[in-house]
Amino acid sequence: MFKLVSIFLLLNVAVIAQDKTYNDPFIIILGIAQDAGYPQAGCEKDCCKRVLTDASAKRMVTSLALADPATHQWWLFDATPDITAQLQLFRSKTNAAYPILPAGIFLTHGHIGHYTGLMYFGREAMNTRSLPVYAMSRMNGFLVQNGPWDQLFEINNLSMRRLRADSSVNLSTGITVTPFLVPHRDEYSETVGFSIQYQQFKLIYIPDIDKWKKFGRDINLLVKESSVALLDGTFFKDGELAGRAMNEIPHPFVEESMLQFSTLAEADKKKIHFIHLNHTNPLLDKKSVPFAEIKKKGFNIAEQGEKVVFR
Ligand SMILES: [Zn+2]
Ligand SMILES: [Zn+2]
Ligand SMILES: [Zn+2]
C-alpha cells in the first residue's frame, strides 16, 4: 500500500514538474456590467426586475484580476463600486492562495465604475499603505487634486505610478501591461485600454470606447494580433435607452461591432468577448435571442468569475 501511494505521489510530482503551464499567469473576470452595475439603481423595468426573482442574474461592474502564480502577486484592473465583493470573488476563485490586497491597481479612466472603489483603501476602510495606483497623467491629476481622493495619496494609503500611452510597465516574470489611448467622453481624465502580454499571449481590454471608427487604430488588426479581446459591449443596439439621446453617450453598439468584425476569421471572432454591459443590454440574459445570435455568429460574452489562462 505504502509503495503504491509513493509511486502515485512521485507520478504526481513528475506531472506538475513537466507541466510548463503550471506557472502561467491568468486573469479572473470580476464583473461584466457597465459602471452602474446590474441591476441599476432606480430601474423598474423588466431588465432589472429579472434580478428580483433570480439573484444569480446580478452582475458586478467590469473589472479584472491579473494573477501571477510564479510570484503569488496579483493586480486589479479598474477599482469599481463593487470592490468589496470583487476582492472576495478573487479570493474564493483562487482558494485564498493570494494576498487579499493586489500588488497594484491599473485605472482606465475617471468614470464612476472605474475608480470610485479606491475609497475602500482609505482610513474609513482598509487603510492600506502605499498601494501602487497606475494611472495616466490627467487621471493622476484628477485624483491628487480633488477630495476625497487626494487624501488617499496625502496620507499614503495609495501611491501614484504614472502611466504613459504605449509605454509598457514590466510586472514580475515577464508580464507587461501597456496602456493605449481610446476616444471616450473624457470629462475628467483621458481614457485608455490595456494590452496585457505574457510571452506570445496578449489580452486586450477596452471596456469603454466611443466608436471603432474614431479609434486611431485598426481594431480588427488588434484583434488578429491578440489572443483574447475584452471589448466594449455596453449597448446591444440603437434605441435601447428609451427617452435618452444615445449620441450623448456613444459606444459601439454590439450590432455595429458584429458588422465591424464580420470579415474576421472564425478563430479571430472567437477571441472577442463583449464586456461592460448596460442593464438594458439583452446579452445579460443568457436565454435571450440576441445572446444566442452572438454565439451563433462566433463571438463570446464575458462571464463574471471566468478564468482566462495566458497560454
Ligand atoms: Zn464604463
Ligand atoms: Zn434595468
Ligand atoms: Zn466611461
Side-chain angles (χ1 to χ4, degrees), residues 87-204:
L87 292 179
Q88 196 52 49
L89 176 61
F90 176 69
R91 204 144 170 82
S92 68
K93 286 281 173 191
T94 54
N95 299 316
Y98 289 81
I100 289 176
L101 292 176
I105 301 168
F106 288 83
L107 301 177
T108 55
H109 67 300
H111 283 156
I112 64 162
H114 302 268
Y115 76 97
T116 56
L118 292 180
M119 64 188 174
Y120 290 105
F121 295 98
R123 266 186 180 147
E124 304 93 324
M126 289 185 281
N127 196 33
T128 53
R129 272 200 74 73
S130 295
L131 204 149
V133 171
Y134 297 84
M136 296 287 290
S137 71
R138 266 188 78 199
M139 185 70 211
N140 176 348
F142 170 75
L143 292 171
V144 300
Q145 287 158 25
N146 292 288
W149 320 106
D150 55 349
Q151 182 179 276
L152 296 164
F153 297 91
E154 269 158 28
I155 65 173
N156 208 28
N157 294 129
L158 304 175
S159 72
M160 185 56 77
R161 305 288 158 89
R162 179 76 67 86
L163 289 175
R164 283 179 177 77
D166 306 312
S167 177
S168 301
V169 176
N170 292 309
L171 303 180
S172 62
T173 58
I175 306 172
T176 61
V177 176
T178 314
F180 52 88
L181 288 165
V182 301
H184 189 41
R185 297 172 289 113
D186 293 341
E187 300 95 338
Y188 295 109
S189 72
E190 61 285 85
T191 302
V192 292
F194 287 109
S195 165
I196 309 171
Q197 191 153 7
Y198 173 73
Q199 297 175 355
Q200 302 307 309
F201 194 99
K202 187 154 92 173
L203 181 138
I204 304 290

Side-chain angles (χ1 to χ4, degrees), residues 27-31 61-66 74-78 80 86 90 194 196 203-205 230 275:
I27 62 151
I28 290 183
I29 297 172
L30 301 180
V61 180
T62 298
S63 172
L64 312 176
L66 165 68
W74 71 283
W75 295 267
L76 184 67
F77 286 75
D78 283 331
T80 87
Q86 289 176 322
F90 176 69
F194 287 109
I196 309 171
L203 181 138
I204 304 290
Y205 174 54
L230 303 173
I275 197 163

